[in-house]
Amino acid sequence: MLPLIRHEGVVIPLDRSNVDTDAIIPKQFLKSIKKSGFGPNLFDEWRYLDQGEPGEDSTLRKINPDFVLNKPQFAKGTILLARENFGCGSSREHAPWALLDYGIRIILAPSFADIFYGNCFKNGILPIAISKELTNTFFDKSQSSQGLRLLIDLENQFIIDGSDKHDFDIDAFKKYCLLEGLDDIGLTLKHSVDIKNFENNYHSQFPWLTK
Amino acid sequence: MATTLYEKIFNRHVVREDNDTYLIYIDRHLIHEVTSPQAFEGLRLANRPIWRANSILAVPDHNVPTTDRKKGILDPISKIQVETLDNNCDAYKLTQFKMDDERQGIVHVIGPEQGSTLPGMTIVCGDSHTSTHGAFGALAMGIGTSEVEHVLATQCLIVRKFKTMQINVNGVVGKHITAKDVALHIIGQIGTAGGTGYAIEFSGSAIRGLSMEGRMTLCNMAIEAGSRAGLVGVDSKTISYLKDRPFSPKEELWEQAVESWKELISDEGAAFDKVINMEASSIEPQVTWGTSPEMVCGINENIPCPEAEKKESNQKGYQRALDYMGLKESMPITDITLDKIFIGSCTNSRIEDLRAAAQVVKAKKIAKNIKLALVVPGSGLVKAQAEKEGLDKIFIDAGFEWRDPGCSMCLAMNADRLERGERCASTSNRNFEGRQGQGGRTHLVSPQMAAAAAIHGKFIDVRELE
Ligand code: SF4
């Protein structure tokens, strides 16, 4: 996994609440058996005017000029800003894969759906829950002509907006994995003996669960 | 100390704890074709074996066709995905019900049907509606593909504890009010993020009164309230449902298991982080009018006005939803005319759902404006049972199509879908934009209400149709 320590980038203001994973990556693209290549279909139904199918050359498609990703000032954005309950719906990890493939490393929103939130960390994306006031401030600022650039300092847990610093919360274990770019399977397997012992004990207590 | 059901199950699965981060042991791992290929690929690349192959039950469901299955899968990309699952299951010698197996069906229907879902278990699946299995007093939750790989390799999951919420639905529901109506009503009350971070235990006399099928419908929808895990305590209904299922324990082990399952209820006086009380008798048949399951109201109500919403961000969302749905504020729900009907999905495709819908359409015909009405049973065994009872004939005589089991038009990954602008009464669980086909418009309802809408052509209170 790609580590993330500090990240600086342009904010893409997606002014919607309850953005679901069906919207992030529609179902027809879930048929892929790979983890990469989803970027061109991120927010497919909002981003293009025609219906997307897997395997198409997306550069030949009709884009929706009103959608935020298609506005020139946000074209190079890597920080996504949205409203409440971002990432609700299906557990598809294709959603963070699509965001990452597009280049998004940070998502700022007042709240996230649980499964999506966890999935982000497994893929080197940092979702940060920020207050509603700060969300509003960032939305306002990103509308200015030069847009909004933020620096995210994961190590010290700061969002840096020019001279303003806002701290944020993050689970210590998730932070550690992200900073180091660690695969948590390797970490868990270091406890193999514990798992084996637990398993033997547990199965003697609940013998009908061995099958 | 008095303990909640969630904590009881959680505590007995803890392998290690480190600063409120827990490694918990997983009993059952359900797998389908969409969220597993990358996990198997990851295992192979890292050269890791599967920890406990017999914890796994696999089935293709999302991509499978619901007609002419003998011809195989025509869409080449779907075909590769289903074949990849077959190959992975063969290579690792996993139990799988392939597409042509009579036991094939939607993963959340077949788990309980086979007795592979048991009380007290931790159950995971790369699918958010894994919450369904919590109906059996199990801790069941949806996970992402990285976690699927993690469970394959370690039989464990890294988690933090959820907070606990108890939703008591007291009293008795009225006639034709189903678990689906109760679920939608709850989501309408607490919102789609109301349960985020919580495990929700459903209790109260109305929940005790539900059949196991109804409890599955309810727990299935817990994720639409933001909660990864819904739970219902074990009682005699749970136990009699599981008796003699293929994977259920037998003989002496059965006796032992039943003894132990009786403890799987929240203790008297156990403290929940949040408690919500509701009255069952006030719940009407529910219909969603928007693009989020919380945008819901009773059949005899009007679509709300965006201005009436307290939160400004909601007002915008409401207006956008109305535009997408092609509806106007203040319009009566009963004025909504439909194009398609879908009875199916892991929410409402079990035998009881089909019986209830068949009861409504019996000896009637679907309305002329309905272009397509589908019944997609949840599994091959549900289908066979329904045919034994003659339900297929009732549906076909009324003008429905009777299909083979799978997810079908719940998410339209196969050929079953809505065209742009088409409006559907659906017994599934998500009314998101484009969910049932790009530009399609979904109204979530119970099987009875979908059946009534098929006959009437518009939404109608099923209680009036009689
Ligand atoms: S029926 Fe629908 S919600 Fe259920 S598993 Fe299939 S796609 Fe998901």
Side-chain angles (χ1 to χ4, degrees):
Chain A
M1 184 181 81
L2 229 55
L4 189 139
I5 301 160
R6 285 161 76 84
H7 179 86
E8 191 177 356
V10 170
V11 171
I12 308 171
L14 178 65
D15 196 358
R16 292 191 185 226
S17 47
N18 295 316
V19 172
D20 59 76
T21 54
D22 279 77
I24 298 173
I25 183 85
K27 74 277 240 126
Q28 63 269 37
F29 304 106
L30 309 190
K31 295 177 185 181
S32 165
I33 55 172
K34 300 205 187 75
K35 283 188 184 183
S36 57
F38 295 103
N41 303 109
L42 175 69
F43 297 119
D44 199 272
E45 293 187 6
W46 293 340
R47 194 163 151 199
Y48 302 98
L49 293 169
D50 57 353
Q51 173 148 352
E53 289 302 332
E56 268 178 328
D57 180 352
S58 57
T59 58
L60 302 176
R61 294 175 58 193
K62 254 181 111 164
I63 65 158
N64 171 9
D66 296 333
F67 185 60
V68 63
L69 289 192
N70 294 327
K71 298 201 171 153
Q73 67 270 40
F74 305 123
K76 294 215 160 63
T78 53
I79 301 176
L80 189 66
L81 172 67
R83 304 253 180 215
E84 287 87 357
N85 201 25
F86 189 87
C88 60
S90 123
S91 66
R92 61 187 70 166
E93 204 158 311
H94 312 68
W97 295 336
L99 288 158
L100 186 69
D101 199 55
Y102 179 86
I104 304 288
R105 297 299 306 278
I106 310 281
I107 309 172
L108 305 172
S111 56
F112 294 88
D114 275 341
I115 305 181
F116 175 82
Y117 184 79
N119 282 345
C120 282
F121 285 98
K122 311 277 180 186
N123 293 284
I125 297 176
L126 171 61
I128 307 176
I130 56 175
S131 70
K132 285 192 184 152
E133 294 73 48
L134 192 57
T135 309
N136 286 334
T137 308
F138 286 164
F139 267 107
D140 287 345
K141 288 192 171 181
S142 59
Q143 294 309 333
S144 75
S145 54
Q146 64 283 48
L148 174 64
R149 269 190 98 77
L150 293 175
L151 173 68
I152 313 300
D153 176 351
L154 174 57
E155 197 147 27
N156 300 304
Q157 295 180 218
F158 279 125
I159 303 172
I160 302 163
D161 169 16
S163 54
D164 294 343
K165 266 188 177 181
H166 310 275
D167 53 4
F168 63 87
D169 275 342
I170 179 174
D171 172 278
F173 178 69
K174 289 197 165 84
K175 174 176 170 180
Y176 165 69
C177 290
L178 203 50
L179 284 172
E180 305 286 328
L182 282 178
D183 155 11
D184 55 12
I185 298 179
L187 291 178
T188 300
L189 284 173
K190 287 193 188 150
H191 304 302
S192 292
V193 176
D194 289 351
I195 303 173
K196 265 272 160 276
N197 289 340
F198 174 91
E199 191 170 48
N200 290 337
N201 206 336
Y202 178 79
H203 282 157
S204 60
Q205 215 183 335
F206 305 106
W208 59 90
L209 293 181
T210 53
K211 272 194 278 190
Chain B
M1 205 184 84
T3 315
T4 64
L5 171 58
Y6 168 74
E7 286 160 322
K8 283 185 190 178
I9 305 174
F10 190 96
N11 293 344
R12 61 157 81 155
H13 287 90
V14 174
V15 177
R16 298 175 44 89
E17 191 218 328
D18 194 0
N19 259 323
D20 290 338
T21 296
Y22 296 83
L23 195 63
I24 60 166
Y25 187 78
I26 301 302
D27 294 309
R28 181 67 73 219
H29 190 180
L30 304 166
I31 283 179
H32 66 77
E33 79 277 21
V34 179
T35 53
S36 67
Q38 295 86 350
F40 282 107
E41 181 71 11
L43 268 195
R44 263 192 296 270
L45 289 175
N47 208 3
R48 289 175 174 139
I50 287 185
W51 186 283
R52 190 160 72 82
N54 70 1
S55 68
I56 296 169
L57 176 61
V59 71
D61 54 3
H62 285 62
N63 274 286
V64 300
T66 57
T67 50
D68 274 343
R69 206 164 267 187
K70 281 193 207 75
K71 285 194 200 139
I73 303 177
L74 299 181
D75 174 350
I77 316 180
S78 290
K79 185 164 186 242
I80 292 176
Q81 202 166 48
V82 172
E83 283 173 357
T84 305
L85 179 68
D86 289 352
N87 295 339
N88 284 326
C89 290
D90 292 348
Y92 289 101
K93 301 199 170 53
L94 307 178
T95 308
Q96 186 205 6
F97 300 158
K98 291 195 175 156
M99 195 171 84
D100 54 4
D101 191 311
E102 198 192 19
R103 299 167 296 175
Q104 182 269 345
I106 305 171
V107 64
H108 308 307
V109 174
I110 69 161
E113 183 174 80
Q114 291 294 324
S116 142
T117 296
L118 296 174
M121 274 183 163
T122 44
I123 302 174
V124 295
C125 175
D127 194 283
S128 58
H129 291 99
T130 309
S131 59
T132 311
H133 308 262
F136 290 82
L139 174 55
M141 55 196 165
I143 56 177
T145 297
S146 297
E147 289 176 316
V148 170
E149 185 180 338
H150 191 279
V151 176
L152 287 174
T154 69
Q155 208 58 40
C156 291
L157 198 61
I158 303 169
V159 294
R160 294 178 69 101
K161 264 192 191 168
F162 294 135
K163 287 180 282 181
T164 53
M165 184 187 296
Q166 184 184 41
I167 299 185
N168 286 309
V169 189
N170 300 309
V172 193
V173 291
K175 191 168 183 224
H176 280 312
I177 305 300
T178 69
K180 181 66 161 287
D181 301 300
V182 175
L184 286 171
H185 177 77
I186 290 172
I187 296 165
Q189 299 288 308
I190 71 172
T192 46
T196 303
Y198 290 91
I200 301 182
E201 181 173 343
F202 299 100
S203 50
S205 51
I207 306 301
R208 294 263 79 90
L210 291 175
S211 64
M212 289 314 294
E213 279 88 350
R215 294 176 192 181
M216 284 187 253
T217 301
L218 186 63
C219 289
N220 173 277
M221 296 290 286
I223 185 66
E224 305 314 325
S227 167
R228 282 175 81 170
L231 294 133
V232 177
V234 171
D235 63 8
S236 57
K237 286 185 188 170
T238 324
I239 292 168
S240 38
Y241 180 99
L242 289 169
K243 184 132 185 35
D244 298 326
R245 303 259 162 193
F247 286 59
S248 294
K250 305 274 147 39
E251 294 159 11
E252 222 173 286
L253 281 180
W254 170 258
E255 305 298 329
Q256 254 185 58
V258 169
E259 246 341 275
S260 137
W261 292 341
K262 287 182 183 153
E263 290 166 28
L264 293 170
I265 49 169
S266 287
D267 295 332
E268 193 80 43
F272 289 83
D273 295 303
K274 197 166 185 174
V275 178
I276 295 175
N277 290 300
M278 287 184 189
E279 192 45 54
S281 59
S282 64
I283 302 175
E284 296 273 288
Q286 302 284 301
V287 181
T288 66
W289 53 265
T291 53
S292 161
E294 70 188 16
M295 295 172 173
V296 64
C297 58
I299 176 71
N300 297 309
E301 292 180 64
N302 295 351
I303 294 174
C305 310
E307 288 84 74
E309 260 306 291
K310 283 170 226 90
K311 284 191 281 178
E312 212 186 307
S313 59
N314 274 11
Q315 291 185 357
K316 244 197 239 169
Y318 271 42
Q319 193 53 55
R320 183 179 289 129
L322 286 177
D323 294 344
Y324 179 86
M325 293 297 287
L327 297 171
K328 296 252 163 353
E329 59 179 60
S330 308
M331 176 178 169
I333 293 286
T334 46
D335 280 358
I336 300 175
T337 309
L338 297 148
D339 303 304
K340 289 185 173 168
I341 308 290
F342 173 62
I343 298 178
S345 90
C346 57
T347 314
N348 281 128
S349 64
R350 299 179 181 84
I351 189 68
E352 197 178 84
D353 301 313
L354 303 190
R355 283 179 192 141
Q359 191 70 35
V360 175
V361 304
K362 193 167 188 176
K364 299 195 180 77
K365 295 271 181 237
I366 61 173
K368 289 217 170 54
N369 58 299
I370 302 294
K371 297 185 223 167
L372 177 71
L374 286 185
V375 185
V376 184
S379 72
L381 296 177
V382 169
K383 187 175 189 217
Q385 178 63 30
E387 288 174 355
K388 215 165 100 190
E389 297 176 19
L391 305 184
D392 57 328
K393 294 216 177 56
I394 296 178
F395 284 116
I396 292 167
D397 288 346
F400 279 84
E401 294 193 13
W402 179 248
R403 296 289 186 87
D404 286 329
C407 295
S408 178
M409 213 159 73
C410 172
L411 95 164
M413 263 183 96
N414 68 357
D416 311 333
R417 62 184 69 170
L418 297 182
E419 300 302 327
R420 195 172 275 282
E422 280 182 342
R423 192 179 292 289
C424 181
S426 176
T427 65
S428 56
N429 43 53
R430 287 189 176 136
N431 51 353
F432 300 156
E433 286 184 23
R435 172 77 178 182
Q436 295 192 288
Q438 193 169 2
R441 294 159 170 168
T442 303
H443 296 273
L444 304 176
V445 287
S446 71
Q448 283 91 319
M449 284 290 286
I455 301 303
H456 190 62
K458 289 179 174 192
F459 281 119
I460 182 173
D461 190 334
V462 57
R463 297 168 298 188
E464 276 169 32
L465 200 68
E466 293 199 321

